Amino acid sequence: MTRRQVIANAVVAVILVAAFAVFCTLVLNSLGRPVDWSKAWAYRESLWRGWTVTLGISLAALLGSIVFGLAFLLGQRSRLPVVRWTCRGFLEFVRDTPLLVHLLFGYFVIFAPLLSRPLAGIGWDDKVLIGIVLLSMFAGAYLGEILRGGVDSIPATQWDAARAVGFSPFQVYRYVIFPQALRRVLPAIAGLFVSLIKDSSLLNVIGVSEYFYNTKNFISRSYAGLEGYLPLTLGYLILTLPVAWLAHWLERRFRDET
Amino acid sequence: MKLDLRDVTKVFGTTRALDELSLQIPEARVLVLIGPSGGGKSTLLRVLGGLEVPDQGSVTLNEHRLNADPESLQAYRRRNGFVFQQFNLFPHLNARRNITLPLEKVHGHSPEAARALADQSLTRFGLLDHATKLPSQLSGGQQQRVGIARAIAFSPEVLFLDEPTSALDPEMTAEVLELIQELAEAGQDIILSTHEMGFARAVADQVAFVASGQIAESNPPQALFNAPVSPVCQRFLSRVMRY
């Protein structure tokens, strides 16, 4: 940076900090009552439990979405046209309708009548399980498209070369196509996983007691405001930032490699 | 090697890349395919290499009759080596790994044995200093030499090369051609297509002229280059030899 740019940078930084401070002061003054963190402290156990449930749902749905994503990828590359069309139709449907609708419709109309009793019979929480499946399917549909784009972007010559050295179809994917395709689609996958963590908050509509649901309860019972929303935001950031950082790090590593 | 092709046809869309092509060669060590671009050389090599399944006809290389089922084609590809015009190294793996990966995963060598074999062929081709470089860090000639090293590391029955020097400048062309000649002199069975007529004459013991999806003429190099019989071959040679 030149000297002028350094000075301009410093000036803009001061202006931005000042503007943010003014904004925060205005907001806090308009609250009309003091911020009382003891309310949040009183609900700490419920909030902590909700956060761990969100963490668990996110991890499970992440793994589930990989399974669904791979299935959708392979389905779209099937040699049987009917499998390809079914996959495409299903993907199009899932991607073009809101997740909220999947959750409400999928839980209350389809899965709950079928599965609630048997699942409760073996002592499982049907809401969590069905929520994870629906979330996995939604993210899996996007992942399937991302992976298909990545695999399609690998030139035909690489398939030739991989077959020429004698790899089996599975080995062609495992050693040649996937390693190259994943490097190309990694940023998109990271974005998808961040969305998935955030979207897990929608599971509150079917009554899963995750972080958002428990925070909402806490807020409505104790008339809290900032004391509820601030930890809520931070709780999700703790989950999403590592994913974003990991993706940036991997992306840089792969870029240096090629 | 012994080669027997009968009425081989391969159609892409409306193009008859191979049109009832027949060729019988009872004994040859180096077979060179020449002919105009788009005449079917590459398709023929891809069929011979087991990368493409002909729509009709029969292909027999040595004792192996090619058939269409994926497993036996894969087994066939495992026995033979294939080198591409555009090198087609795996860009995410370094030069040595390009060679060791198939040795380990396809031919069942231990990592140590694969490494020893890879380093042996890298040394032979003067590439050991570049073993840990990625393909993008190598020159075209070096990439193609790695491609050849990968294809011969497991001692293939037949080595196929599809215009191995067409993407290289004259100096790199020379270094790759020398290498191929060395392999031929060491007794490797080779089938290759090329536009380098001087090289074809020097290295081949049988030359086949491929045009319009058929073999117009097949003879030892002396005969084919000095006294071509078919009109298409005469015209082609008089044109390419003019400059």
Side-chain angles (χ1 to χ4, degrees):
Chain A
M1 280 201 295
T2 64
R3 208 181 131 73
R4 285 176 68 119
Q5 278 173 327
V6 171
I7 295 171
N9 194 46
V11 171
V12 172
V14 170
I15 293 174
L16 284 175
V17 168
F20 186 66
V22 169
F23 177 72
C24 288
T25 317
L26 284 175
V27 169
L28 286 174
N29 282 340
S30 69
L31 284 178
R33 56 193 170 80
V35 176
D36 181 5
W37 288 106
S38 66
K39 288 181 192 167
W41 185 248
Y43 280 89
R44 64 187 181 279
E45 269 177 35
S46 152
L47 294 181
W48 168 249
R49 220 180 314 116
W51 189 83
T52 55
V53 170
T54 289
L55 176 65
I57 290 173
S58 300
L59 285 177
L62 208 138
L63 292 177
S65 70
I66 293 175
V67 173
F68 277 107
L70 286 176
F72 288 138
L73 166 72
L74 294 178
Q76 286 193 90
R77 298 191 66 90
S78 165
R79 285 190 195 159
L80 308 177
V82 65
V83 175
R84 287 202 302 271
W85 295 335
T86 312
C87 258
R88 272 247 57 89
F90 188 77
L91 284 189
E92 232 26 84
F93 172 79
V94 170
R95 282 155 42 91
D96 300 342
T97 46
L99 176 57
L100 204 51
V101 175
H102 301 171
L103 292 172
L104 293 171
F105 189 71
Y107 180 71
F108 290 111
V109 181
I110 302 176
F111 286 119
L114 282 175
L115 293 176
S116 280
R117 251 168 232 275
L119 282 177
I122 54 171
W124 288 28
D125 186 340
D126 66 317
K127 290 175 190 146
V128 171
L129 200 69
I130 295 169
I132 288 173
V133 169
L134 291 168
L135 197 56
S136 299
M137 214 141 57
F138 182 75
Y142 281 89
L143 189 61
E145 271 299 278
I146 293 173
L147 291 177
R148 186 187 62 81
V151 169
D152 282 354
S153 77
I154 304 301
T157 52
Q158 284 294 307
W159 295 84
D160 274 348
R163 288 164 58 221
V165 298
F167 283 141
S168 68
F170 173 77
Q171 288 176 320
V172 172
Y173 274 104
R174 163 79 181 77
Y175 295 115
V176 179
I177 304 303
F178 270 145
Q180 296 183 58
L182 281 179
R183 281 167 168 73
R184 297 187 184 192
V185 298
L186 202 70
I189 292 182
L192 177 70
F193 284 163
V194 168
S195 289
L196 176 117
I197 294 170
K198 295 184 294 180
D199 286 347
S200 72
S201 62
L202 286 175
L203 260 56
N204 83 86
V205 298
I206 58 171
V208 175
S209 122
E210 41 73 58
Y211 193 41
F212 181 83
Y213 183 89
N214 287 10
T215 305
K216 201 178 65 174
N217 269 351
F218 149 58
I219 290 172
S220 58
R221 279 188 207 155
S222 65
Y223 302 105
L226 191 73
E227 303 92 331
Y229 293 119
L230 204 60
L232 182 64
T233 313
L234 291 177
Y236 279 104
L237 276 178
I238 292 171
L239 294 176
T240 51
L241 281 181
V243 177
W245 276 330
L246 184 70
H248 288 310
W249 180 74
L250 284 172
E251 209 182 318
R252 255 201 318 276
R253 226 191 73 183
F254 288 151
R255 199 175 37 220
D256 296 342
E257 258 178 35
T258 42
Chain B
M1 74 193 147
K2 199 173 83 192
L3 185 63
D4 189 338
L5 299 159
R6 284 178 203 272
D7 299 323
V8 177
T9 299
K10 179 75 191 175
V11 180
F12 295 109
T14 55
T15 321
R16 296 178 80 81
L18 299 180
D19 192 2
E20 299 188 354
L21 179 148
S22 292
L23 176 65
Q24 280 85 39
I25 292 175
E27 180 53 48
R29 207 178 63 238
V30 180
L31 166 64
V32 175
L33 309 174
I34 60 167
S37 297
K41 294 192 302 293
S42 279
T43 310
L44 177 56
L45 261 178
R46 291 174 61 84
V47 166
L48 288 170
L51 291 171
E52 211 79 69
V53 179
D55 301 322
Q56 277 170 43
S58 74
V59 178
T60 313
L61 179 62
N62 293 334
E63 310 317 317
H64 316 292
R65 165 92 190 257
L66 262 75
N67 50 23
D69 85 283
E71 270 94 61
S72 69
L73 266 183
Q74 191 192 328
Y76 176 83
R77 289 194 294 263
R78 287 179 170 193
R79 277 196 305 272
N80 301 309
F82 204 104
V83 175
F84 298 87
Q85 185 178 343
Q86 294 295 341
F87 329 133
N88 293 8
L89 297 179
F90 304 130
H92 59 301
L93 304 175
N94 69 32
R96 181 188 281 127
R97 194 71 186 131
N98 259 280
I99 303 171
T100 55
L101 187 68
L103 287 174
E104 287 173 29
K105 307 301 174 190
V106 176
H107 302 281
H109 290 285
S110 69
E112 296 76 35
R115 197 188 153 108
L117 269 176
D119 284 0
Q120 191 184 318
S121 51
L122 285 170
T123 310
R124 179 177 177 191
F125 297 169
L127 289 163
L128 198 61
D129 292 341
H130 306 293
T132 56
K133 289 186 185 167
L134 289 169
S136 57
Q137 297 166 313
L138 299 172
S139 74
Q142 289 166 339
Q143 287 189 53
Q144 191 59 300
R145 283 187 287 154
V146 174
I148 296 173
R150 181 174 72 182
I152 62 148
F154 56 91
S155 312
E157 221 175 281
V158 179
L159 177 65
F160 301 100
L161 304 102
D162 183 10
E163 297 194 20
T165 61
S166 292
L168 298 175
D169 68 29
E171 199 184 347
M172 294 177 182
T173 298
E175 81 187 35
V176 169
L177 292 183
E178 274 166 27
L179 177 58
I180 297 170
Q181 186 157 23
E182 219 181 284
L183 289 172
E185 280 162 7
Q188 174 71 53
D189 278 349
I190 293 175
I191 301 180
L192 71 95
S193 65
T194 186
H195 287 294
E196 305 284 339
M197 294 305 147
F199 175 69
R201 187 197 279 260
V203 77
D205 43 19
Q206 187 76 24
V207 181
F209 183 83
V210 187
S212 312
Q214 290 171 334
I215 303 287
E217 189 168 343
S218 166
N219 266 317
Q222 290 298 336
L224 190 132
F225 285 109
N226 295 340
V229 185
S230 69
V232 269
C233 186
Q234 283 169 0
R235 219 175 318 127
F236 178 81
L237 286 178
S238 74
R239 213 176 298 153
V240 296
M241 296 302 194
R242 195 184 305 160
Y243 299 106

